[in-house]
Amino acid sequence: MSVKEHGEGAMPVIVAWDTCMIRGVIAIARGRQLLAETYFEAAKGHSGWLMPEMDEALVTARVSRAEVTHVACGTGPGTFTGVKVGIACAKAVSMGLGVPVVGMPTLDLLAHAAPGIDRDILAVMDARRGQLYAAAFRPTDETLERLTDYMCVEPSSLCCVAAELDIGDLVVAGEATVELMDLLGKTRHVVTTGGDYPTGGALIKLASDMIESGDVSDAVSVAAIYLKKPV
Amino acid sequence: MELVLKSASEETTLALGSSLGSAASPGDVICLIGELGTGKTVIVRGMARARGHSGPVTSPTFTIINEYVDAGLCHVDAYRLDTGEQLIGAGIDDYLDGEWVCAVEWADRVRPALPSNALSIEIAFGEAENERVITIREEGGWDGRLARIMKELMSE
């Protein structure tokens, strides 16, 4: 007997990726079961390989394009080209297959890549020029609650934010720098997850949560998260 | 270290670009400064050819940044920009992470956005019709590689 999880829809078949950091990931899942995941160097020429990589992952997962019910992508912040290519491809696939888009902030993906953690999580990414992209999360029963806005700040400001929010012991996910760990470690116990980049598991976990709560968009309305103001 | 060369033809300028392209390593930034028509793009074309790119090399005057992936070369034209912030807004940081060689035309217009450790190439019109005076300068030290490039040029 097949499980009908979403009203008239069958179990979601998700093709998901994040290209916003220097290591990219593609994942394919049926329901919450991960069928394929591929990692790749994303520093050069994203646009050339993302779609072929997606097709290859679909073959590995034994999923046809026609079966796909949702396309999910990391929406940044992140590298200039990576954010744009990831979202543009998701919009294209959404339009081409006639399926909705799940836009997942990349900092949320980093936090979700830290499994089974019972204390607050600070997700950070290198924003270049001495700045970090960051957001803090608190584990709840089923998922993670975001405690802060998505920020682009210097490491020292992050310590102030942590103090203001009364964040105690902390796990840092993503691109934790030695400077940041030293700063945070002055007043609390801090460890890193060691997971620097989003994982296939994180893509599918967050996409599935968002699909279940109806948090999906169409190709037009899914938008990138840019934290550096255009000049 | 500073090196002043005279180029009598576009071919010679192209050959200089070729030597620079061979000598450059990922992470290097080449700042090209000079009036319209002095041959900044010719230098970049020589660099691209030496690094294995056979397709067209033209100044990205409106798109600001071109990437020649096969050559690991990022070609910037800052002619239409006024500040370093604008170049950052156009996404230059993706190319300054050590993976690319960056050649920046009109670099003087956006200098604060580029690393201090760079090679500066100023091109001026010479006295003869096709002559160019090319001044190559290590900014912040280029690890002495300019001496090696000079040696290569002299041997040609």
Side-chain angles (χ1 to χ4, degrees):
Chain A
M1 199 179 101
S2 65
V3 180
K4 299 277 184 188
E5 287 194 342
H6 308 281
E8 70 269 19
M11 188 183 281
V13 176
I14 306 167
V15 51
W17 57 74
D18 181 84
T19 57
C20 300
M21 299 181 75
I22 57 168
R23 192 178 74 163
V25 54
I26 297 177
I28 314 283
R30 193 184 299 274
R32 287 176 179 268
Q33 191 190 355
L34 188 60
L35 302 176
E37 67 180 320
T38 310
Y39 294 90
F40 45 81
E41 243 355 88
K44 285 185 191 173
H46 291 84
S47 45
W49 46 248
L50 183 54
M51 291 295 92
E53 290 274 7
M54 180 196 80
D55 274 337
E56 206 165 296
L58 284 170
V59 169
T60 306
R62 297 173 187 272
V63 169
S64 73
R65 285 187 185 185
E67 290 178 274
V68 172
T69 63
H70 295 81
V71 56
C73 76
T75 54
T79 61
F80 185 85
T81 305
V83 172
K84 287 181 166 54
V85 169
I87 291 180
C89 287
K91 285 173 185 269
V93 169
S94 164
M95 287 178 172
L97 298 182
V99 298
V101 186
V102 186
M104 305 176 289
T106 300
L107 287 163
D108 293 50
L109 288 171
L110 281 175
H112 277 85
I117 285 170
D118 57 1
R119 48 172 136 161
D120 293 339
I121 300 169
L122 183 67
V124 295
M125 296 165 65
D126 182 5
R128 315 266 165 86
R129 299 183 189 273
Q131 295 191 307
L132 294 167
Y133 297 125
F137 299 83
R138 180 160 290 165
T140 60
D141 290 345
E142 288 293 315
T143 185
L144 296 173
E145 176 199 354
R146 183 159 53 85
L147 303 176
T148 63
D149 284 337
Y150 301 112
M151 302 172 281
C152 179
V153 291
E154 289 176 6
S156 54
S157 317
L158 269 186
C159 296
C160 302
V161 171
E164 279 167 24
L165 289 170
D166 205 19
I167 290 175
D169 290 351
L170 190 62
V171 174
V172 180
E175 295 173 316
T177 60
V178 173
E179 182 196 4
L180 177 67
M181 296 304 283
D182 284 350
L183 283 167
L184 289 168
K186 281 180 185 164
T187 48
R188 61 179 65 72
H189 184 240
V190 191
V191 294
T192 60
T193 62
D196 295 349
Y197 305 105
T199 57
L203 286 175
I204 298 308
K205 165 83 169 68
L206 184 55
S208 300
D209 288 353
M210 290 176 73
I211 291 167
E212 278 176 18
S213 59
D215 193 2
V216 299
S217 325
D218 57 41
V220 175
S221 50
V222 67
I225 299 174
Y226 293 119
L227 298 178
K228 289 185 175 175
K229 292 186 181 71
V231 180
Chain B
M1 172 165 190
E2 188 176 295
L3 174 62
V4 182
L5 303 170
K6 281 190 179 170
S7 167
S9 67
E10 188 174 321
E11 287 69 32
T12 309
T13 306
L14 190 72
L16 170 63
S18 177
S19 295
L20 286 168
S22 304
S25 306
D28 285 341
V29 176
I30 318 277
C31 297
L32 294 152
I33 298 149
E35 292 302 306
L36 283 168
T38 46
K40 298 181 295 299
T41 308
V42 175
I43 299 266
V44 183
R45 189 172 298 128
M47 291 178 67
R49 294 283 177 267
R51 299 181 64 79
H53 176 74
S54 54
V57 174
T58 54
S59 297
T61 308
F62 291 94
T63 50
I64 314 296
I65 298 174
N66 260 354
E67 52 179 56
Y68 311 120
V69 176
D70 49 0
L73 179 65
C74 163
H75 184 182
V76 179
D77 184 354
Y79 181 66
R80 294 175 62 249
L81 305 182
D82 301 311
T83 64
E85 281 80 17
Q86 290 176 338
L87 186 59
I88 295 168
I92 190 63
D93 282 351
D94 283 9
Y95 301 93
L96 297 176
D97 59 3
E99 298 276 333
W100 296 80
V101 173
C102 290
V104 185
E105 297 191 39
W106 300 96
D108 45 330
R109 302 182 66 83
V110 293
R111 193 64 187 85
L114 301 169
S116 57
N117 187 359
L119 193 72
S120 143
I121 301 183
E122 282 191 51
I123 317 178
F125 292 109
E127 285 168 14
E129 194 186 341
N130 288 319
E131 189 182 72
R132 300 288 186 273
V133 180
I134 302 173
T135 307
I136 308 178
R137 200 176 294 119
E138 289 170 308
E139 290 182 12
W142 220 51
D143 308 330
R145 273 182 295 157
L146 187 51
R148 268 180 283 148
I149 295 169
M150 189 162 77
K151 210 171 165 185
E152 190 181 333
L153 285 170
M154 295 305 172
S155 69
E156 277 172 7

